[in-house]
Amino acid sequence: MPTVLLTLAFIVIGAKLAGALVEWLGQPAVLGELAVGILLGNLALFGGPDLHGVRQGEAFTVLAELGAILLLFQVGLESTLREMLAVGGRAFLVACVGVITPMLLGFGVGELMRPGESWMLHAFLGAMLSATSVGITARVLGDLGAVKTKAARIILGAAVIDDVLGLVILAVVSGVIATAATGSSLSVLAVAVICLKAVAFLAGAVLIGGFLSPRLFLGARVVKAQGVIQALSLSFCFALSYLAVWAGLAPIVGAFAAGLVLEEVHFKEQVERGERPLHESLVPLTGLLVPVFFVRMGMLVNIPSFLRVEILGFALLLTAAAILGKWACAVAAPRGVSGLTIGLGMMPRGEVGLIFAAIGAQLMLGGRAVVDTGTYAAAVFMVVSTTLATPPALAWAIRRAARAVPDP
Amino acid sequence: MPTVLLTLAFIVIGAKLAGALVEWLGQPAVLGELAVGILLGNLALFGGPDLHGVRQGEAFTVLAELGAILLLFQVGLESTLREMLAVGGRAFLVACVGVITPMLLGFGVGELMRPGESWMLHAFLGAMLSATSVGITARVLGDLGAVKTKAARIILGAAVIDDVLGLVILAVVSGVIATAATGSSLSVLAVAVICLKAVAFLAGAVLIGGFLSPRLFLGARVVKAQGVIQALSLSFCFALSYLAVWAGLAPIVGAFAAGLVLEEVHFKEQVERGERPLHESLVPLTGLLVPVFFVRMGMLVNIPSFLRVEILGFALLLTAAAILGKWACAVAAPRGVSGLTIGLGMMPRGEVGLIFAAIGAQLMLGGRAVVDTGTYAAAVFMVVSTTLATPPALAWAIRRAARAVPDP
């Protein structure tokens, strides 16, 4: 507990000041929070304490996760389900391009840099590049007030679909490798169950959530106490996040779905009674917890293990494949929407890429780990580069698009 | 993480609905939250899951502690340091009565129910009854909008002093017992260091905090970003909570001190710029986290271990000593302030009493634990009774006093 208090005391004000500084330099505030995290995570280089244990602490992790959940809930609230479904087909197209191209490019990098290894290892490398981590993008869109643009909706929708596709790909590739290693047959049933759960969650959130939530909130009006709607909304967000985890998806996908399903009209009566609207009462919560998430993400960057000369070539090629693979999403942008914004918005990998890499480190093929320490270090390089490059690049693209075609 | 999400989903809405229900019955909302906790903690009695592990989980504990810290910070913000110092002498008197009387009564209960045991064991029993847990009282005062009354200030000030006195008493009594058990001499120096740290913290918070914080907040005005003052205030609260723990005090004492030291005048410029005042932006945070604290406190009540017939006599006597000992504080109430309110406000023990009991269970004297399992169960009974009796009794006393003498 004392450690958590001290960490929070530093993070809350440090992140705010760093955010204000980078905003003054024309960058999104999130970049400052990542920088604070990198600094805290590498204090040992300057003779300071090693905070790796703090980063891994359960309480700190949960606070950071709650920050990400509340952020995506807040972003979800800014769109309606109808608006998202209107761009659904396009988002699906973007997600497919953003999964297939990085897989192919990653496979190619594997063939080039790890010749003679099994094609399955190369496929895993490709799969590792396919996941999008939407936290950074959502935050940049929020920092720049661009959440309500059509480009933002396409990116956010594609990121949700991407999470489902990534889950399925991981299951299939890992299944194929495990099958080859043990000689057992690939369990098509197991993969089908994974797909079904994910699709059931999304369909359930959309159909039942959209049907049930207006009735639920109508019923809650009977309780006249202050803050009932806020409490119900938060519970709804946490419950859907939990269900997303149950379905094998990221909790933030559930939080985003919760935000989409809830609409301001449910809270009209409360606002008329003088209560604060929901999105406003979320601000103090996200103000405290969201920086914890991004500072913690920054602490991921362990500078010595990240700058390893012997893997630099491999790391750079992998990163190029990761970036170009997601930029390809630009071709799927509809007329009048900035392809550049979409390509850059899909770019960050965040911790999702590392989860893939960690699973690969556990998988054995021909007596060796599918993801060896060199590949793991290259994956970390790829994750860190795409994450840190996104805020400035995406901010530039959004401002450029706003100047060219004022997006409603 | 999934468990935390599911727990939060239940707690947030369950606590709000139960709070609304008991408020409709004329009781403070906190009683409903405690009831939800008791229900959740005893689901196993009705064939449900045993949530004891959830209660002890690090993340859940930290979220609850943060709730208590933010609550006391919020309560501290409603008073100024000057106002607290004005009732300082009286609060000291109340604290002394509220420590000495329960100690004497507890000692007497020991002599009566555990005859033939060492006087040191009886003294420990007395010490166990001396601590006040101010969370419940602070919350009831808040629920009833009575934080700014003179009675509230005296109770809150006395509770802070009580925490220091309790710390010293625990150190002395444990030191005497350890000395008797091992034959070493009582380390007067160690006890002196404990006292000095606690007093240094309080003096430091008052003097340096009062001198430094206006300058700090004046400096922060240079940073024009939204929410800087909120971030700085929260950091200040977490930092003082951390320092309180360093000084051996409860973190909530630090949070309360932080609230006292900060004054609305520091935020005047921000409010004029259209930002929300600090106490308003705390509401969503406390709305989420404070119920977690009280629900968790309710989960403490394990009904089977709590209702043990064989210790019922001892438990009832101990509880009577605990209650009467704190009611005695009423005699120290100044003219025009309800002694009943002060006596009842000092009554709850919360987890502080259990921390004492747990330390006693570790202390050995003559080959036996100072607090055996029977005594521990009686202590739990005492803590639960005083905690649950406080909200309705205190609410009644506050309303009664408001009718008799309208307190400004």
Side-chain angles (χ1 to χ4, degrees), chain A residues 195-278:
Chain A
C195 299
L196 263 180
K197 273 171 104 174
V199 171
F201 169 79
L202 286 187
V206 167
L207 294 176
I208 306 178
F211 171 83
L212 206 70
S213 73
R215 282 156 187 81
L216 199 65
F217 280 82
L218 211 65
R221 287 181 200 176
V222 177
V223 185
K224 294 291 180 198
Q226 190 85 11
V228 170
I229 294 299
Q230 271 81 351
L232 188 58
S233 308
L234 281 179
S235 279
F236 189 67
C237 163
F238 294 140
L240 277 198
S241 306
Y242 169 77
L243 286 177
V245 174
W246 165 84
L249 298 170
I252 56 173
V253 169
F256 181 69
L260 279 186
V261 165
L262 295 188
E263 320 228 324
E264 288 293 328
V265 63
H266 304 158
F267 321 123
K268 226 181 70 197
E269 200 181 293
Q270 272 68 28
V271 174
E272 280 165 3
R273 277 214 312 251
E275 280 195 44
R276 215 178 283 163
L278 179 61

Side-chain angles (χ1 to χ4, degrees), chain B residues 75-147:
Chain B
V75 166
L77 276 177
E78 294 206 32
S79 294
T80 65
L81 192 57
R82 186 191 303 262
E83 288 166 338
M84 281 306 293
L85 291 177
V87 299
R90 191 57 71 159
F92 187 73
L93 195 64
V94 168
C96 289
V97 174
V99 163
I100 294 169
T101 334
M103 275 210 73
L104 292 178
L105 289 177
F107 191 85
V109 171
E111 292 281 348
L112 192 72
M113 300 295 287
R114 293 278 193 269
E117 300 273 5
S118 156
W119 66 270
M120 288 181 275
L121 192 141
H122 303 155
F124 195 90
L125 221 53
M128 218 167 65
L129 302 189
S130 67
T132 303
S133 168
V134 78
I136 287 273
T137 299
R139 175 68 192 277
V140 174
L141 292 169
D143 281 356
L144 298 180
V147 172

Side-chain angles (χ1 to χ4, degrees), chain B residues 186-201:
Chain B
L186 174 62
S187 171
V188 177
L189 187 69
V191 172
V193 166
I194 289 170
C195 300
L196 265 179
K197 273 173 103 173
V199 171
F201 170 78

Side-chain angles (χ1 to χ4, degrees), chain B residues 272-307:
Chain B
E272 280 165 5
R273 276 214 313 250
E275 281 196 43
R276 215 178 282 164
L278 178 61
H279 65 87
E280 261 189 44
S281 70
L282 276 177
V283 172
L285 286 173
T286 51
L288 172 63
L289 294 173
V290 172
V292 177
F293 176 71
F294 289 110
V295 169
R296 185 172 180 276
M297 194 186 263
M299 288 173 77
L300 185 80
V301 183
N302 185 310
I303 293 176
S305 78
F306 162 71
L307 291 174

